[in-house]
Amino acid sequence: MAGAESGWSEKKVFDTEAASFLVKELRERFGSGRTRSHEWRVSQVKALLKAVVENEDKIVQALRFDLARPPLETLVYEIGMFKNSCEVILKELKHWMTPEKVKTSIATFPSSAEIVPEPLGVVLVISAWNYPILLSLDPVVGAIAAGNAVVLKPSEIAPASSSLLAELIGKYMDNSFIKVVEGAVDETTALLQQKWDKIFYTGNGKVGRIVMTAAAKNLTPVVLELGGKSPVVVDSNINLKVTARRIISGKWGLNNGQACISPDYVITTRDFAPKLVDVLKTELENCYGKNPLESEDLSRIVNSNHFARLSKLLNDDKVSGKIVYGGEKDEKNLRIAPTVLLDVPQDSLIMGEEIFGPLLPIVTVDKVEESIEVINSGTKPLAAYIFTNNKKFKEQFIKNVSAGGLLVNDTVLHLVVHTLPFGGVGESGMGAYHGKFSFDAFTHKKAVLYRSFAGDASLRYPPYTDTKLRLMKALIGGRIYDIIRALFRWS
Amino acid sequence: MDIEVEETVGELRQYFKTGKTKSVIWRKNQLTALLDLVHENEDAIFKALHQDLGKHPVEAYRDEIGAVEKSANNSLSCVEKWMAPKKSNIPLLFQPAKGEVLSEPLGVVLIFSSWNFPIMLALDPLIGAISAGNVVVIKPSEQAPACSSFLANTIPLYLDSNAIKVIEGGAHVCEQLLLQKWDKIFFTGSPRVASIVMSAAAKNLTPVTLELGGKCPAILDSLPKPSDFKLAVKRIVGGKWGPCSGQACIGIDYLLVEEKFSSALIELLKKIIRRFYGENPKESKVISRIVNKQHFKRLCNLLKDPLVANSIVHGGSVDEENLFIEPTILLDPPLDSPIMTEEIFGSLLPIITVNKIQGSIEFINARPKPLAIYAFTKDETFKRQILSETSSGSVVFNDTMVQFLCDSLPFGGVGQSGIGRYHGKYSFDTFSHEKAVMHRNLILEIEPRYPPWSNFKLEFLRLAYRLNYFGLLLHMLGFKLGLIRRT
């Protein structure tokens, strides 16, 4: 990747002073009002869309370099989803920008009111390495749609993608308002010390805390898209083949398990587990062949740190003998085969942290209803999945499991539906985006009340009297009868 | 006390897990009980507010009790509607499927209330937290001790004390509370303390709503009709000294007016002040006093600078024993003096003159975003300019303060004036998690979702993403779609 290397060596040091200057410059430019017009926003969304469409091959290549990602996964998830986002924005933006008229009550009569959406100002988007293009551009396009100036900090752990993003945004976008800052911890720290109007962060809980703490100094609102252990509950009496394939597609079909909403672990009954394992084995072979380490259809592990982390989970004493499928590793090529473990103890390492890799532990319970308690004993995940045909159990699950999003009888798809808010709760994050929720995430909804000079009620003003008190009670209470009574007594 | 706080939070979390607070009956019962609490203890509330702030009952009703009643009634009638799942449309491609957004309570929430509207700023957020099905700890401000005491003693008599607790105390108690893990923290107060609260919240990734303040400006444009001008000034006086003698987050902080109108304005202000508060405002009993010595001294210090003192055109007298500062007007104090750089939160009204009224936009934009902007004008172009060129929590044209009575408008700040919003359904939302739920079934599978990958599957998925159903159909039927490749 010659382009990435030469760009790297030319880079100046991006320190606190540079960050401060950058923000100051953007703020001044934002003050000009250019980004507020519908025309500007649409032109930028179209430009970003063009950038992606005209460079699909380069994007596929970058992801091959960063993650050995199969081209189809990149085209469908990163590029396809992003294109969809842009199209939704282009179609709906005018409507989203229109002030919303709201009802007023008798307490402020006569008056009219509306809610006016306005950009927050200068926002920072910090992206992650697993879907480096999508998780950079999707929030950025939301920020642009809302009329903000944006700084994007792509993840350095996906260097080819980071470099490509800098190149494409530099070439296609209005650089007066949209900038990319590449780098690692130092650059991110310098950026976090500045005063932003919003910070949008995708990543893990540890850094999420650092981001929010930095934001607190300037009272900057944040969206944190984090992760967690997304469970899949598998009931018996379901179409096992379809279930297994959907679990496979959501787990290994997404960056080989390195996705925030990948099914992390399975919960099923002791009796049913062997059946599930059998079908998983068959279907895994159908998808990835007998030698999954060689399969072109699986991403590799992103780097040696994560490879070591995942190996450690497999080497844990508590899970020795629990591997029922896979377990093969290729350290040189950073590949780990799809691996299924059966009956892992709750206190094993693999059950103590978000896996973010191709290992699928199955936890067994006596009765499937116990799965709710198992899930609720941990922190709230970003997603929770359930495969069941039992309506009552399904309803219980939906009512009692708190997660960012729930999906019944499938995995991951809710991510793609732009009419559903995508975000976490508790440890899995705060705030949401996708579709109109992206626009809202980067917008301030300003309340506006119009009053006239007609009809002033002297009862608002001193000197205060009991009569005024009575009338005021009636008015604020809004009960017509009381109002008439009070008025009548007054006159 | 430290262990008590931790134990209390643990108990609340256990109670929340039982699911009792999720039922609509529980929520409605609590809201009804809250209404009873307020109705049956009106006199006690008047007394506490008078003790803490010297508030007149009419002011107390208008700004606190009335607002709480209205809010509780509104929530009572709407909570079931708010709790209902909201359907989301799912594209044809994913059918058969159903999508919806379910609101669920966040869990254990902490509400920090402020001292200037000590009843309302505790109970209004509480109404939101209850409607959303949470368990709550309220920490009333210790700077309004009679009200804090009232809340601590009365709430357990009416509300479910397993779910709603009041913890009184000062800085140490606040620290203890901030060490616990909450599912939401709702804070009303100053930016300085808000930053501390948010930093503490960050340790547990706790979402926050921060209702802060700022220097809320009032813009007075030329109003040729004398009755309009008089009404505007009346509303300005009401909006400055009416709410807690200027100690209000959305109270008018300073006034912007064109130079040529300043004398007429000052004359009229003096006249109306006299009408509302008499010759001796201190004796009038209709203005609140300053909350305590600390704030009294702070306000006096704002007037110490000789250049500032020289700009006083009305009032200026202070009474330390009674913590009273009379309505005071200043004309063009130096812009770099603390009275013009800090939120005043008191009975001092600086008037800043500008050459042309449009200049007030630049003036406001050079300063942190306020919680509210008030503009008295009949000029529609100017109104639009204010709306599009300034940023604030809210904007009110031709009046002050009343936006907080409007339940359909979100009440909250932006930038330094706050994060998040509440009132009406926004209160419910601020204490809820909106959970996305999608239902699919196990028939009708889309094979191209699965590896091994092939060009056929790739093309299928491309078309699927664009929701190009006709193209999909053709593709499935074996037609080559070379023409529809990359658009």
Side-chain angles (χ1 to χ4, degrees):
Chain A
M1 294 295 290
E5 276 151 34
S6 67
W8 210 255
S9 61
E10 281 167 357
K11 218 160 296 314
K12 293 184 289 235
V13 170
F14 185 84
D15 56 7
T16 312
E17 207 186 307
S20 169
F21 182 74
L22 171 65
V23 174
K24 185 158 166 278
E25 205 177 50
L26 285 172
R27 212 171 273 294
E28 266 164 27
R29 296 207 190 123
F30 174 77
S32 73
R34 267 285 298 288
T35 62
R36 289 176 187 252
S37 74
H38 183 254
E39 287 74 36
W40 183 87
R41 303 183 201 195
V42 162
S43 76
Q44 293 307 292
V45 174
K46 284 185 171 167
L48 204 43
L49 185 53
K50 193 162 170 239
V52 166
V53 164
E54 285 178 4
N55 293 279
E56 271 182 17
D57 284 338
K58 278 187 169 178
I59 294 174
V60 167
Q61 287 288 65
L63 265 310
R64 267 201 99 58
F65 181 85
D66 285 335
L67 285 154
R69 171 107 60 69
L72 185 139
E73 261 190 62
T74 301
L75 285 162
V76 167
Y77 287 112
E78 299 235 34
I79 297 178
M81 267 198 68
F82 178 67
K83 276 157 69 167
N84 199 24
S85 275
C86 290
E87 269 148 34
V88 168
I89 291 172
L90 290 172
K91 189 163 158 235
E92 306 281 336
L93 185 57
K94 242 210 162 86
H95 173 63
W96 295 345
M97 284 173 69
T98 311
E100 183 196 335
K101 294 234 173 299
V102 296
K103 279 208 317 242
T104 55
S105 70
I106 197 167
T108 55
F109 184 83
S111 63
S112 66
E114 59 183 6
I115 300 174
V116 175
E118 58 179 32
L120 287 165
V122 183
V123 308
L124 173 63
V125 173
I126 301 176
S127 165
W129 55 260
N130 59 334
Y131 284 90
I133 304 294
L134 179 67
L135 298 176
S136 297
L137 298 185
D138 214 358
V140 164
V141 83
I144 291 173
N148 298 280
V150 194
V151 171
L152 168 66
K153 159 68 187 71
S155 171
E156 70 280 14
I157 298 179
S161 304
S162 174
S163 200
L164 182 58
L165 282 165
E167 184 197 317
L168 293 181
I169 287 178
K171 189 162 155 221
Y172 287 79
M173 308 294 291
D174 183 348
N175 288 290
S176 308
F177 300 99
I178 301 157
K179 298 241 192 240
V180 177
V181 172
E182 294 191 80
V185 175
D186 289 339
E187 287 77 6
T188 309
T189 307
L191 287 168
L192 285 174
Q193 282 167 355
Q194 308 313 313
K195 178 168 168 37
W196 303 93
D197 296 300
K198 185 107 186 193
I199 300 177
F200 187 107
Y201 168 77
T202 306
N204 65 58
K206 180 163 148 277
V207 179
R209 283 166 165 80
I210 295 172
V211 170
M212 190 171 167
T213 304
K217 293 193 177 65
N218 292 305
L219 297 171
T220 298
V222 298
V223 171
L224 305 175
E225 294 275 331
L226 311 177
K229 291 183 78 62
S230 298
V232 189
V233 173
V234 180
D235 198 359
S236 36
N237 193 27
I238 40 110
N239 183 329
L240 199 40
K241 183 168 170 203
V242 173
T243 299
R245 286 164 75 77
R246 286 179 180 180
I247 292 176
I248 291 172
S249 148
K251 176 85 177 185
W252 295 282
L254 288 186
N255 248 358
N256 207 9
Q258 299 164 102
C260 53
I261 45 163
S262 261
D264 186 277
Y265 67 104
V266 169
I267 310 176
T268 190
T269 57
R270 228 172 289 286
D271 293 336
F272 196 68
K275 295 198 192 83
L276 177 59
V277 170
D278 278 340
V279 179
L280 275 171
K281 285 185 188 178
T282 314
E283 293 305 328
L284 275 166
E285 213 176 283
N286 284 341
C287 289
Y288 303 114
K290 285 197 190 311
N291 262 332
L293 277 183
E294 326 251 314
S295 169
E296 286 277 300
D297 293 333
L298 283 169
S299 305
R300 66 152 208 265
I301 305 305
V302 69
N303 61 22
S304 45
N305 278 344
H306 282 274
F307 185 91
R309 179 182 65 80
L310 290 163
S311 301
K312 196 158 159 236
L313 297 183
L314 284 178
N315 295 337
D316 181 16
D317 283 336
K318 298 210 165 80
V319 304
S320 72
K322 306 282 186 193
I323 299 177
V324 293
Y325 180 87
E328 301 96 357
K329 294 182 278 180
D330 174 0
E331 186 160 358
K332 179 158 158 279
N333 291 308
L334 293 177
R335 285 189 173 274
I336 297 180
T339 302
V340 180
L341 305 93
L342 177 58
D343 251 334
V344 295
Q346 284 280 48
D347 60 349
S348 53
L349 289 175
I350 203 172
M351 286 306 292
E353 59 178 70
E354 185 177 2
I355 296 168
F356 226 72
L359 321 176
L360 181 72
I362 300 179
V363 167
T364 55
V365 290
D366 285 321
K367 295 221 305 264
V368 80
E369 287 81 4
E370 289 164 36
S371 57
I372 294 179
E373 213 183 294
V374 170
I375 297 171
N376 285 344
S377 68
T379 58
K380 299 178 186 181
L382 189 51
Y385 306 106
I386 177 172
F387 286 88
T388 183
N389 278 319
N390 181 339
K391 189 161 179 241
K392 193 153 163 264
F393 179 46
K394 180 181 82 164
E395 273 161 24
Q396 224 191 337
F397 187 85
I398 291 175
K399 186 165 165 234
N400 292 310
V401 171
S402 184
L406 297 181
L407 186 36
V408 177
N409 292 334
D410 212 328
T411 61
V412 172
L413 277 192
H414 64 299
L415 176 74
V416 182
V417 176
H418 67 87
T419 49
L420 287 172
F422 182 75
V425 63
E427 282 289 326
S428 52
M430 57 182 79
Y433 72 130
H434 285 183
K436 180 167 194 288
F437 302 101
S438 290
F439 177 84
D440 291 343
F442 291 101
T443 292
H444 167 54
K445 300 276 176 87
K446 184 158 74 179
V448 182
L449 185 64
Y450 297 88
R451 295 262 292 154
S452 71
F453 290 99
D456 197 34
S458 71
L459 65 88
R460 281 169 62 173
Y461 309 108
Y464 296 135
T465 62
D466 281 341
T467 314
K468 285 190 178 180
L469 179 56
R470 247 190 332 266
L471 190 52
M472 190 174 297
K473 281 190 179 189
L475 264 174
I476 292 181
R479 290 178 291 268
I480 301 289
Y481 179 62
D482 289 341
I483 296 173
I484 295 173
R485 269 180 68 208
L487 275 170
F488 190 65
R489 270 172 86 179
W490 194 14
S491 63
Chain B
M1 186 36 157
D2 302 0
I3 306 172
E4 257 175 63
V5 165
E6 204 181 317
E7 262 174 20
T8 304
V9 178
E11 277 164 22
L12 283 168
R13 199 167 281 290
Q14 284 303 109
Y15 192 69
F16 179 74
K17 282 200 174 130
T18 67
K20 264 203 87 188
T21 63
K22 291 188 183 186
S23 85
V24 64
I25 296 173
W26 182 88
R27 304 184 202 196
K28 284 185 151 177
N29 281 343
Q30 295 306 296
L31 291 170
T32 308
L34 192 53
L35 278 167
D36 289 340
L37 184 160
V38 172
H39 284 146
E40 292 169 15
N41 293 281
E42 214 178 77
D43 285 334
I45 297 176
F46 284 149
K47 192 153 164 249
L49 284 169
H50 191 264
Q51 197 171 325
D52 282 336
L53 290 153
K55 263 194 205 184
H56 188 281
V58 171
E59 196 188 314
Y61 186 84
R62 181 194 70 203
D63 294 346
E64 305 221 39
I65 298 177
V68 170
E69 281 179 356
K70 187 164 161 299
S71 185
N73 274 319
N74 180 240
S75 295
L76 204 47
S77 59
C78 293
V79 67
E80 263 184 276
K81 190 174 71 168
W82 295 339
M83 283 170 70
K86 287 189 290 272
K87 295 233 172 296
S88 301
N89 281 330
I90 306 286
L92 183 60
L93 178 70
F94 302 110
Q95 298 296 348
K98 194 174 83 158
E100 56 189 6
V101 177
L102 282 175
S103 291
E104 56 178 33
L106 287 165
V108 186
V109 311
L110 172 62
I111 296 174
F112 281 110
S113 152
S114 171
W115 53 260
N116 54 342
F117 295 90
I119 301 296
M120 199 221 349
L121 296 176
L123 298 184
D124 207 0
L126 176 63
I127 289 169
I130 290 174
S131 315
N134 299 279
V135 295
V136 193
V137 167
I138 302 174
K139 161 66 187 73
S141 170
E142 71 280 14
Q143 295 190 71
C147 290
S148 175
S149 212
F150 168 82
L151 291 168
N153 293 331
T154 323
I155 282 180
L157 300 176
Y158 286 81
L159 300 179
D160 183 350
S161 51
N162 288 319
I164 299 155
K165 299 208 192 268
V166 180
I167 297 184
E168 295 190 83
H172 178 69
V173 167
C174 289
E175 275 164 28
Q176 289 307 306
L177 288 168
L178 287 174
L179 288 174
Q180 310 308 316
K181 179 169 166 39
W182 304 93
D183 297 304
K184 175 97 188 195
I185 299 178
F186 186 104
F187 171 83
T188 305
S190 73
R192 187 187 66 84
V193 180
S195 198
I196 297 171
V197 170
M198 190 171 166
S199 300
K203 294 193 176 60
N204 291 308
L205 294 172
T206 300
V208 298
T209 294
L210 307 173
E211 295 275 332
L212 313 177
K215 291 183 79 61
C216 298
I219 303 171
L220 182 57
D221 193 3
S222 83
L223 295 166
K225 221 163 122 197
S227 59
D228 289 346
F229 184 61
K230 196 160 158 226
L231 185 51
V233 178
K234 219 167 102 181
R235 287 179 176 174
I236 287 170
V237 173
K240 175 71 186 187
W241 294 284
C244 213
S245 193
Q247 300 164 103
C249 53
I250 45 166
I252 296 178
D253 188 280
Y254 65 99
L255 189 48
L256 288 155
V257 72
E258 266 178 20
E259 223 271 299
K260 56 185 189 256
F261 297 118
S262 56
S263 350
L265 168 63
I266 293 169
E267 276 319 300
L268 192 50
L269 279 167
K270 290 185 186 180
K271 200 161 140 206
I272 294 180
I273 289 173
R274 221 172 297 132
R275 198 169 89 193
F276 285 176
Y277 308 117
E279 286 300 329
N280 202 346
K282 194 166 71 184
E283 317 279 314
S284 72
K285 295 194 195 323
V286 296
I287 303 190
S288 306
R289 60 153 210 268
I290 304 304
V291 67
N292 57 27
K293 270 219 163 49
Q294 181 206 347
H295 280 276
F296 181 86
K297 283 200 157 67
R298 178 183 63 79
L299 289 164
C300 289
N301 280 339
L302 293 180
L303 298 175
K304 273 210 166 62
D305 179 348
L307 287 172
V308 174
N310 279 340
S311 68
I312 297 176
V313 294
H314 177 86
S317 73
V318 306
D319 174 350
E320 182 160 355
E321 201 196 312
N322 293 307
L323 294 176
F324 188 82
I325 298 180
E326 76 164 304
T328 300
I329 305 172
L330 304 92
L331 180 59
D332 281 323
L335 295 179
D336 59 353
S337 55
I339 201 173
M340 279 313 292
T341 56
E342 297 170 5
E343 186 176 2
I344 296 169
F345 227 69
S347 38
L348 319 174
L349 177 68
I351 297 175
I352 307 292
T353 57
V354 288
N355 224 328
K356 281 186 101 79
I357 199 63
Q358 278 73 17
S360 47
I361 291 182
E362 205 185 306
F363 189 90
I364 293 171
N365 284 344
R367 291 160 173 77
K369 299 177 185 181
L371 192 48
I373 293 177
Y374 302 107
F376 291 86
T377 177
K378 283 178 124 163
D379 180 346
E380 295 300 320
T381 310
F382 187 42
K383 281 187 193 174
R384 277 196 296 276
Q385 224 189 332
I386 292 173
L387 274 185
S388 61
E389 292 177 28
T390 65
S391 183
S392 56
S394 60
V395 178
V396 181
F397 289 110
N398 299 327
D399 208 338
T400 61
M401 302 286 295
V402 285
Q403 74 274 39
F404 89 99
L405 282 177
C406 194
D407 274 330
S408 53
L409 284 175
F411 185 83
V414 64
Q416 289 290 102
S417 50
I419 296 178
R421 64 240 183 123
Y422 72 129
H423 284 187
K425 180 168 193 286
Y426 298 103
S427 290
F428 177 87
D429 290 341
T430 218
F431 289 102
S432 296
H433 165 53
E434 308 218 308
K435 183 164 77 180
V437 182
M438 185 170 164
H439 302 249
R440 292 259 296 152
N441 65 37
L442 293 163
I443 52 170
L444 284 191
E445 187 49 303
I446 304 175
E447 276 310 311
R449 277 175 71 173
Y450 309 110
W453 301 131
S454 65
N455 275 332
F456 175 87
K457 291 187 177 181
L458 175 56
E459 197 51 39
F460 180 98
L461 287 164
R462 268 190 206 282
L463 293 163
Y465 260 89
R466 313 213 55 206
L467 298 181
N468 182 347
Y469 297 111
F470 185 62
L472 269 175
L473 182 61
L474 292 180
H475 184 58
M476 294 300 287
L477 291 175
F479 288 88
K480 280 234 172 262
L481 294 165
L483 294 168
I484 314 179
R485 268 234 134 223
R486 284 163 202 230
T487 34

